[in-house]
Amino acid sequence: QLQLVESGGGLVQPGGSLRLSCAASGIPFNYWHIGWFRQAPGKEREGVSCTSGSGGATNYADSVKGRFTISRDTAKNTVYLQMNSLKPEDTGVYYCASTPYGTTCHIRGSGYPYWGQGTQVTVSS
Protein backbone atom coordinates (compact mmCIF):
# COMPACT_ATOMS: atom_id res chain seq x y z
CA GLN A 1 0.00 0.00 0.00
CA LEU A 2 1.40 3.38 -1.02
CA GLN A 3 1.98 5.68 1.93
CA LEU A 4 3.84 8.93 2.56
CA VAL A 5 4.29 10.00 6.16
CA GLU A 6 5.75 13.38 7.12
CA SER A 7 7.30 14.19 10.47
CA GLY A 8 9.62 16.71 12.08
CA GLY A 9 7.47 19.79 12.15
CA GLY A 10 7.15 22.04 15.18
CA LEU A 11 7.56 25.50 16.62
CA VAL A 12 10.89 27.24 16.06
CA GLN A 13 12.17 30.78 16.50
CA PRO A 14 13.19 32.87 13.51
CA GLY A 15 16.69 31.95 12.44
CA GLY A 16 16.30 28.42 13.73
CA SER A 17 16.36 25.07 11.95
CA LEU A 18 14.14 22.05 11.47
CA ARG A 19 14.52 18.84 9.52
CA LEU A 20 11.41 17.35 8.00
CA SER A 21 11.20 13.69 7.02
CA CYS A 22 9.01 11.99 4.44
CA ALA A 23 8.95 8.22 4.86
CA ALA A 24 7.68 6.41 1.78
CA SER A 25 6.34 2.89 1.41
CA GLY A 26 4.67 1.00 -1.39
CA ILE A 27 6.50 2.79 -4.20
CA PRO A 28 9.71 2.10 -6.13
CA PHE A 29 11.43 4.74 -4.06
CA ASN A 30 14.63 5.00 -6.09
CA TYR A 31 12.75 5.84 -9.28
CA TRP A 32 9.94 8.15 -8.27
CA HIS A 33 10.17 11.90 -7.79
CA ILE A 34 9.46 13.30 -4.34
CA GLY A 35 8.43 16.89 -3.73
CA TRP A 36 7.86 19.12 -0.72
CA PHE A 37 5.03 21.64 -0.77
CA ARG A 38 3.64 24.01 1.84
CA GLN A 39 0.44 25.89 2.48
CA ALA A 40 0.05 28.85 4.81
CA PRO A 41 -3.36 29.88 6.18
CA GLY A 42 -5.30 31.80 3.57
CA LYS A 43 -2.70 31.20 0.88
CA GLU A 44 -2.38 28.85 -2.05
CA ARG A 45 -0.17 25.81 -1.83
CA GLU A 46 3.33 26.42 -3.16
CA GLY A 47 6.15 24.16 -4.17
CA VAL A 48 9.25 24.22 -2.00
CA SER A 49 11.67 21.63 -3.31
CA CYS A 50 11.90 18.28 -5.04
CA THR A 51 14.30 15.44 -5.73
CA SER A 52 14.22 13.35 -8.87
CA GLY A 53 14.41 9.59 -8.90
CA SER A 54 17.10 7.82 -10.91
CA GLY A 55 19.64 10.58 -10.82
CA GLY A 56 18.73 12.80 -7.98
CA ALA A 57 18.38 16.17 -9.69
CA THR A 58 16.90 18.70 -7.29
CA ASN A 59 14.89 21.87 -7.60
CA TYR A 60 14.12 24.68 -5.17
CA ALA A 61 11.75 27.59 -4.98
CA ASP A 62 13.57 30.93 -5.12
CA SER A 63 12.27 31.78 -1.66
CA VAL A 64 14.16 28.89 -0.04
CA LYS A 65 17.31 28.64 -2.14
CA GLY A 66 20.41 28.73 0.03
CA ARG A 67 18.42 27.96 3.17
CA PHE A 68 16.73 24.61 2.51
CA THR A 69 18.37 21.37 1.39
CA ILE A 70 16.55 18.29 0.14
CA SER A 71 18.14 14.85 0.34
CA ARG A 72 17.16 11.25 -0.26
CA ASP A 73 18.18 8.22 1.83
CA THR A 74 17.47 5.19 -0.31
CA ALA A 75 18.32 2.76 2.50
CA LYS A 76 15.54 4.24 4.62
CA ASN A 77 13.11 5.13 1.82
CA THR A 78 13.06 8.62 3.27
CA VAL A 79 13.41 12.12 1.87
CA TYR A 80 14.57 14.90 4.16
CA LEU A 81 14.11 18.64 4.00
CA GLN A 82 16.71 20.45 6.08
CA MET A 83 15.43 23.97 6.75
CA ASN A 84 17.87 26.55 8.09
CA SER A 85 17.58 30.29 8.75
CA LEU A 86 13.84 29.92 9.08
CA LYS A 87 11.64 32.96 8.67
CA PRO A 88 8.07 33.63 9.83
CA GLU A 89 6.94 33.43 6.21
CA ASP A 90 8.06 29.79 6.15
CA THR A 91 5.17 28.98 8.46
CA GLY A 92 2.64 26.53 7.07
CA VAL A 93 1.66 22.91 6.70
CA TYR A 94 4.35 21.04 4.82
CA TYR A 95 3.39 18.12 2.61
CA CYS A 96 5.45 15.62 0.72
CA ALA A 97 4.17 14.17 -2.51
CA SER A 98 5.30 11.58 -5.00
CA THR A 99 4.94 10.95 -8.69
CA PRO A 100 6.26 8.48 -11.27
CA TYR A 101 5.70 10.94 -14.12
CA GLY A 102 8.26 13.04 -15.94
CA THR A 103 11.98 12.71 -16.48
CA THR A 104 12.88 15.14 -13.70
CA CYS A 105 10.98 16.50 -10.75
CA HIS A 106 9.19 19.82 -10.61
CA ILE A 107 7.60 21.88 -7.88
CA ARG A 108 4.23 22.43 -9.47
CA GLY A 109 1.60 20.70 -7.37
CA SER A 110 -0.19 19.30 -10.38
CA GLY A 111 1.23 16.01 -11.54
CA TYR A 112 1.78 14.62 -8.05
CA PRO A 113 -0.96 12.06 -7.45
CA TYR A 114 0.18 10.84 -4.04
CA TRP A 115 0.33 13.03 -0.93
CA GLY A 116 1.09 12.71 2.74
CA GLN A 117 -1.03 14.10 5.56
CA GLY A 118 1.24 17.07 6.28
CA THR A 119 3.24 18.38 9.22
CA GLN A 120 2.88 21.84 10.77
CA VAL A 121 5.84 24.22 10.82
CA THR A 122 5.49 27.42 12.82
CA VAL A 123 8.24 30.03 12.86
CA SER A 124 7.57 32.56 15.56
CA SER A 125 9.25 34.31 18.45
Side-chain angles (χ1 to χ4, degrees):
Q1 180 178 355
L2 189 149
Q3 194 172 20
L4 300 170
V5 180
E6 303 96 333
S7 62
L11 172 64
V12 63
Q13 292 186 342
S17 298
L18 281 175
R19 188 178 77 159
L20 304 184
S21 300
C22 173
S25 59
I27 66 171
F29 181 79
N30 289 358
Y31 301 101
W32 284 29
H33 312 316
I34 305 287
W36 282 100
F37 300 82
R38 67 187 180 190
Q39 187 164 23
K43 295 188 176 181
E44 293 187 355
R45 182 183 62 198
E46 64 172 336
V48 176
S49 182
C50 67
T51 171
S52 300
S54 299
T58 59
N59 195 5
Y60 295 91
D62 288 342
S63 59
V64 306
K65 282 181 181 176
R67 300 188 299 123
F68 290 12
T69 302
I70 193 169
S71 61
R72 181 191 292 249
D73 186 335
T74 55
K76 296 182 178 181
N77 278 16
T78 299
V79 169
Y80 301 102
L81 185 68
Q82 178 67 44
M83 307 187 295
N84 299 328
S85 301
L86 283 161
K87 305 175 181 180
E89 51 264 44
D90 295 317
T91 294
V93 179
Y94 283 68
Y95 301 90
C96 68
S98 183
T99 180
Y101 306 118
T103 55
T104 59
C105 73
H106 61 79
I107 52 174
R108 300 184 303 276
S110 59
Y112 282 84
Y114 306 106
W115 292 78
Q117 83 289 349
T119 185
Q120 175 71 44
V121 171
T122 303
V123 184
S124 175
S125 55

